[in-house]
Amino acid sequence: MYKLLFDLVFKKMDPEKAHHLAFFWIRLASSVPGLRTLVRLVLAPRDRALRTSALGLDLPGPFGLAAGFDKNGVGIDGLAMIGFDYVEIGTITGEPQPGNPAPRLFRLIEDRALVNRMGFNNQGSARVAARLAERPHTSSTPVVGINIGKTKVVEEADAIGDYVKSTERLAKYADYLVVNVSSPNTPGLRNLQAVSHLGPLLSAVREAADRSTAHHVPLLVKIAPDLADEDVDAVADLALELGLDGIIATNTTIGREGLRTPAARIEEIGMGGLSGAPLKARALEVLQRLRARTEGRLVLVSVGGIETAEDAWQRIIHGADLVQGYSAFIYQGPFWCRRIHKGLSAKVRAGGFRNLAAAVGSAKASS
């Protein structure tokens, strides 16, 4: 059904406009109490075997929505309604910014991938903080991660102050906080992944979060798949040294190798971060490297190329405590989370595990 809708409607629309339309329908459905309950029953079945504890949080499952879909925290409840176990909003910057000129989002249908150069378009940390402050909190309130980045016009030398400003505004509303230094669409941002820059930045954000809240807010860093292996190791070592809570791996890639989409079309699209199925192999490699380096001392969140329950399962058995997706949602539609959850439930039982947590890292243990 969704494939037909995608082929007849969404495929012919500008990708960014299609995104806004689909997101509007999700928010609309979640605003109607009876409909919200019905949709949740159909799309978000819960299995106790999938319940997950990570980052000091109790989650209904391991599968979350990666940052980028809900940049301003306007549809958290709707996204939980359709089955995401937690929602990461953002990337949010210290100041509001429109992002890059359109068109800035492109589908690579043959590759089940996307290219984006959105440029951190968002309403800024002050406005998003005000919105989050108005959200009621109950026992069923979804877990929310907040992903923060650098305002484009802020010079690299002043980046720490920009991140600290967002942290001070947003940390009190975050179940966990993510420092994004790995988007390819903000000039100079990826330079901050170098440990000489990253250490002072993460220390400053940690201190700002502690000043701004009465409780410990878990802090993670999100890294790019394009880092060399030795740089992945260096970030892992730094995270352990600083006492970070975890690492999210990986963001989009600037690479274009091995694509089915014609080269002329790739050249026409131009710059931007590639996400989706082509990241599958590298994202798994980075996860395995991080797991070996950190030996379970950090929470690892794996993202990039997860399309099926088998993809999610491979990340879990190779050491991911949590997994995230985004691009496949565009191609698979609202039943995607349901399929992931059903598939993971079957994997847990077929593997003889008492629960999902028992399966984390089991591939290494059995090898």
Side-chain angles (χ1 to χ4, degrees):
M1 178 66 177
Y2 177 77
K3 185 179 186 307
L4 181 62
L5 179 65
F6 180 85
D7 289 341
L8 293 178
V9 180
F10 290 136
K11 185 177 177 179
K12 299 175 181 178
M13 293 180 65
D14 171 79
E16 190 171 352
K17 291 180 180 178
H19 167 86
H20 289 306
L21 177 61
F23 198 13
F24 168 78
W25 287 345
I26 291 169
R27 298 198 308 274
L28 181 63
S30 71
S31 70
V32 182
L35 181 58
R36 180 174 63 239
T37 301
L38 177 61
V39 173
R40 185 184 294 116
L41 286 172
V42 173
L43 298 184
R46 297 306 184 194
D47 181 349
R48 290 190 63 82
L50 297 185
R51 292 205 70 87
T52 301
S53 293
L55 299 171
L57 304 168
D58 184 25
L59 300 163
F63 187 54
L65 179 63
F69 192 94
D70 186 356
K71 294 179 179 295
N72 296 302
V74 297
I76 296 165
D77 296 310
L79 293 164
M81 172 192 73
I82 61 174
F84 289 104
D85 297 315
Y86 60 100
V87 177
E88 189 172 310
I89 65 171
T91 296
I92 300 162
T93 53
E95 301 300 329
Q97 56 186 29
N100 292 322
R104 54 192 182 178
L105 180 62
F106 309 87
R107 302 185 196 96
L108 276 58
I109 294 175
E110 299 95 322
D111 294 290
R112 307 185 309 281
L114 301 172
V115 170
N116 92 82
R117 52 171 176 270
M118 303 299 292
F120 287 170
N121 55 308
N122 75 105
Q123 296 170 346
S125 55
R127 187 168 174 186
V128 175
R131 177 176 296 114
L132 295 175
E134 295 173 355
R135 282 176 50 77
H137 283 265
T138 68
S139 59
S140 60
T141 299
V143 166
V144 178
I146 301 181
N147 184 302
I148 59 173
K150 184 180 80 69
T151 304
K152 184 176 181 178
V153 297
V154 170
E155 297 293 334
E156 186 179 323
D158 300 319
I160 289 178
D162 194 53
Y163 279 92
V164 165
K165 177 165 51 180
S166 293
T167 302
E168 291 173 341
R169 291 170 173 170
L170 294 166
K172 62 176 69 71
Y173 308 113
D175 291 306
Y176 68 87
L177 195 64
V178 182
V179 171
N180 185 352
V181 288
S182 50
S183 169
N185 299 316
T186 295
L189 185 72
R190 286 192 168 193
N191 295 340
L192 299 176
Q193 290 179 113
V195 293
S196 59
H197 297 297
L198 189 58
L201 170 60
L202 292 174
S203 295
V205 170
R206 176 74 273 165
E207 291 170 5
D210 291 342
R211 287 196 307 271
S212 305
T213 61
H215 63 283
H216 177 81
V217 178
L219 179 62
L220 301 89
V221 63
K222 187 169 186 176
I223 63 173
D226 308 311
L227 285 178
D229 287 346
E230 56 269 26
D231 292 325
V232 172
D233 292 345
V235 171
D237 293 345
L238 177 66
L240 290 169
E241 177 187 336
L242 296 178
L244 254 61
D245 298 277
I247 297 175
I248 299 181
T250 62
N251 211 320
T252 59
T253 179
I254 58 174
R256 297 291 190 269
E257 297 81 13
L259 298 177
R260 299 178 181 176
T261 302
R265 174 57 178 157
I266 298 299
E267 185 176 353
E268 178 187 5
I269 290 171
M271 297 174 60
L274 175 72
S275 62
L279 270 70
K280 199 177 305 240
R282 179 57 181 165
L284 180 57
E285 288 175 1
V286 173
L287 168 67
Q288 291 171 307
R289 193 165 193 95
L290 288 170
R291 178 71 178 190
R293 194 76 174 186
T294 61
E295 299 178 324
R297 290 174 287 171
L298 293 175
V299 170
L300 300 180
V301 184
S302 187
V303 56
I306 294 178
E307 300 179 281
T308 65
E310 175 63 22
D311 294 331
W313 182 249
Q314 286 300 314
R315 307 300 172 88
I316 289 163
I317 65 174
H318 284 97
D321 301 280
L322 299 172
V323 290
Q324 292 181 343
Y326 176 174
S327 298
F329 186 27
I330 309 304
Y331 292 107
Q332 300 201 33
F335 281 85
W336 183 42
C337 289
R338 177 185 172 90
R339 289 192 290 270
I340 295 285
H341 285 105
K342 290 289 188 181
L344 286 177
S345 295
K347 295 283 187 184
V348 168
R349 287 171 170 77
F353 299 102
R354 66 185 182 277
N355 53 39
L356 189 80
V360 174
S362 60
K364 179 180 179 181
S366 62
S367 60

